[in-house]
Amino acid sequence: IEAENAPFSQLPLADVSRLVIALEEQATQAHSPFAFGDVFHFDGQPAVSAFLASANHLRDAGSLLDWIPELIHPAIRFDGIDDGQRATLNIYVDDSAGGFTNQPTLIETIAAVVSRLIRIIAPGSDVFSRLQLAHPARRGPADYEQYFGCPVEFGGKANRFILNSHALDNILPGSLPPAHAQAEQTIRLKLVGDGMAPP
């Protein structure tokens, strides 16, 4: 990998893709995107961990998705819509050349990280209705469904979670609004750099 000592966020997207593929090739037991998801944490960013752990509900935690380009990598982003019953969380890898937009290992790794973080802060939640992936299944579909805890569809036009909207408003076990607001302010001032105080 070129610039191997550079922060992950500064690696070219091609290097990021090569890195996750290399990890997959070296995996001997678990499916590597799932294994990565299970050990991922915001290393060196305690304010981010505190922000997630103290969220009142998943909508509160959702602001983190807007900061992913700054916190993780500028090519990774999310958006979604919510009609009050179902919500979508779309996963994007922005690549002007198109070569990495739907790179299966990278997309599955991102999805696994999202899934794990939600399972940590909202244990037992029924937030996931299903997951849609644009690439074909790379192992038994049952393996995906066991990991994500919901039906998984392959070969579609998008990479996205379909969420149960009502679950986004459930009070989380770690809810602590003052700590959440303080963590958000720290993230904005020190990590994202927008200088905005929380509302």
Side-chain angles (χ1 to χ4, degrees), residues 90-133:
N90 303 300
I91 302 169
Y92 297 101
V93 176
D94 290 331
D95 174 23
S96 58
F100 305 103
T101 301
N102 285 311
Q103 204 285 331
T105 306
L106 182 56
I107 291 294
E108 289 182 10
T109 300
I110 295 169
V113 168
V114 171
S115 176
R116 176 180 182 269
L117 293 177
I118 289 179
R119 291 198 308 268
I120 289 174
I121 66 174
S125 172
D126 65 343
V127 66
F128 295 119
S129 175
R130 65 184 185 276
L131 170 62
Q132 298 175 333
L133 297 172

Side-chain angles (χ1 to χ4, degrees), residues 176-183:
L176 193 59
H180 185 74
Q182 182 60 50

Side-chain angles (χ1 to χ4, degrees), residues 159-192:
N159 298 296
R160 63 184 180 181
F161 286 98
I162 308 299
L163 310 175
N164 294 312
S165 185
H166 67 85
L168 300 176
D169 296 309
N170 293 340
I171 301 300
L172 300 175
S175 173
L176 193 59
H180 185 74
Q182 182 60 50
E184 179 175 356
Q185 186 172 29
T186 299
I187 292 169
R188 289 183 180 279
L189 292 174
K190 295 185 177 180
L191 300 180
V192 179

Side-chain angles (χ1 to χ4, degrees), residues 139-150:
R139 56 193 299 124
D143 292 341
Y144 289 91
E145 295 186 4
Q146 180 178 7
Y147 183 84
F148 290 106
C150 65

